[in-house]
Amino acid sequence: MSGLRVVPGRRGGRDRLYVCRPDGSRIAWYDRAAGRVDLLAEDERDRVLDVLKPFLTGPVAVGPPPVPTAAELARLALHPDDDLAPNRPGEALLIALDRDPDTGHRLRPDPRRRALLAEQTVGDVLDGLEGAGWLALHSLPLPGGDRVHHLLIGPGGLFAVHALYARRARVRVADPMVTVGRRAAEPLLRRLRAQADRAAYALTAEVRPVLALTEPSGVTLTAAPRGMRVLSAGELPGLARLGGVLKPADVAALHAMARDRRTWEKV
């Protein structure tokens, strides 16, 4: 017996299998999506591959971990209290519901629950674009109590994505007003443009607003909203087809800047 054991884990939104010594120290990890085994101890190569053999799928590259980029080094230097990357979709709502739970009234459900479901639905879709070179951050706080639901960064640029619960409801968009079902219209698009402008100021890069609707029964646009995309959650993967704006190094650098809480404190 090698004495090594395989422990599942997750890093940067990707599943990994860590190879650990009996004392718990890690000597290698296998990233199935990347098809790579990163070794911290070259002299353990044979034993590592032997213990990972049942889990390996297809050809894999084996070697030392890549040298970290400048953006990765900056991330490692970030204090955990200032790091927004661990935020879950709907993080602010999850905290609010934990501190002040709803009463569970059947006739008047807590609207925060529906808003949370919308953010979680949209967030899961955006997180799924990582393999196409896109990175997502969630629930980014802005001064004054406002927040950006999701920030998507990738080859096609930066998008501030706002999730709106619209299940089985018709949505009417008459810029800047948005009407969901029988609810009163509100100037939501004006607010989303303002959020995108604040994000652009913070990141010194163009940020385009997106309104993401969860399961609407239909959408009516009186005219194409200025500088705004209105998409259903199922249409969001289409953003991954956009490109030609940012290089991978630019994506990493903007992500490192955006995940720092201090970036958003003066916008």
Side-chain angles (χ1 to χ4, degrees):
M1 298 290 292
S2 68
L4 302 180
R5 56 193 179 96
V6 178
V7 179
R10 192 166 177 83
R11 177 74 179 269
R14 302 173 75 157
D15 292 322
R16 282 181 174 181
L17 292 176
Y18 291 97
V19 180
C20 304
R21 294 190 176 101
D23 63 2
S25 60
R26 297 170 178 175
I27 60 171
W29 56 86
Y30 170 43
D31 185 330
R32 182 179 286 109
R36 179 177 177 82
V37 175
D38 288 316
L39 283 169
L40 297 178
E42 179 63 32
D43 59 341
E44 298 275 20
R45 173 189 288 257
D46 291 341
R47 293 207 304 153
V48 164
L49 294 179
D50 183 62
V51 75
L52 282 175
K53 187 175 181 180
F55 307 99
L56 300 178
T57 56
V60 296
V62 182
V67 176
T69 64
E72 289 169 332
L73 290 173
R75 182 192 73 226
L76 293 173
L78 190 60
H79 191 281
D81 289 345
D82 291 324
D83 191 359
L84 299 174
N87 280 10
R88 299 159 293 179
E91 182 77 24
L93 288 171
L94 287 166
I95 294 173
L97 285 165
D98 183 60
R99 292 175 176 171
D100 181 23
D102 64 72
T103 59
H105 198 293
R106 295 181 60 186
L107 298 180
R108 289 181 295 174
D110 190 327
R112 296 176 298 175
R113 292 287 180 188
R114 292 183 173 182
L116 174 60
L117 179 59
E119 290 191 46
Q120 291 174 329
T121 299
V122 170
D124 288 345
V125 174
L126 298 180
D127 285 339
L129 303 182
E130 183 176 347
W134 294 76
L135 299 173
L137 294 166
H138 309 289
S139 206
L140 303 177
L142 299 174
D146 205 355
R147 62 192 175 87
V148 175
H149 287 183
H150 314 278
L151 182 69
L152 184 65
I153 310 171
L158 295 92
F159 297 92
V161 183
H162 185 91
L164 182 63
Y165 184 89
R167 188 169 186 264
R168 297 181 182 177
R170 292 201 62 84
V171 179
R172 184 173 186 272
V173 180
D175 196 358
M177 308 302 290
V178 176
T179 308
V180 179
R182 298 179 180 178
R183 302 203 309 242
E186 61 174 318
L188 182 58
L189 301 193
R190 184 179 301 141
R191 174 185 164 197
L192 301 191
R193 289 191 182 101
Q195 290 178 351
D197 287 344
R198 294 174 76 180
Y201 178 81
L203 300 171
T204 62
E206 182 183 12
V207 179
R208 288 168 283 180
V210 176
L211 175 60
L213 307 170
T214 60
E215 300 184 65
S217 62
V219 180
T220 300
L221 300 177
T222 59
R226 174 181 54 83
M228 169 86 62
R229 281 180 166 86
V230 178
L231 305 172
S232 69
E235 293 172 324
L236 288 172
L239 294 174
R241 293 194 291 269
L242 302 175
V245 177
L246 297 176
K247 298 177 181 178
D250 299 326
V251 172
L254 285 165
H255 182 262
M257 184 186 302
R259 68 186 296 173
D260 189 340
R261 183 184 301 275
R262 295 167 297 182
T263 297
W264 306 97
E265 289 179 349
K266 296 181 180 180
V267 299

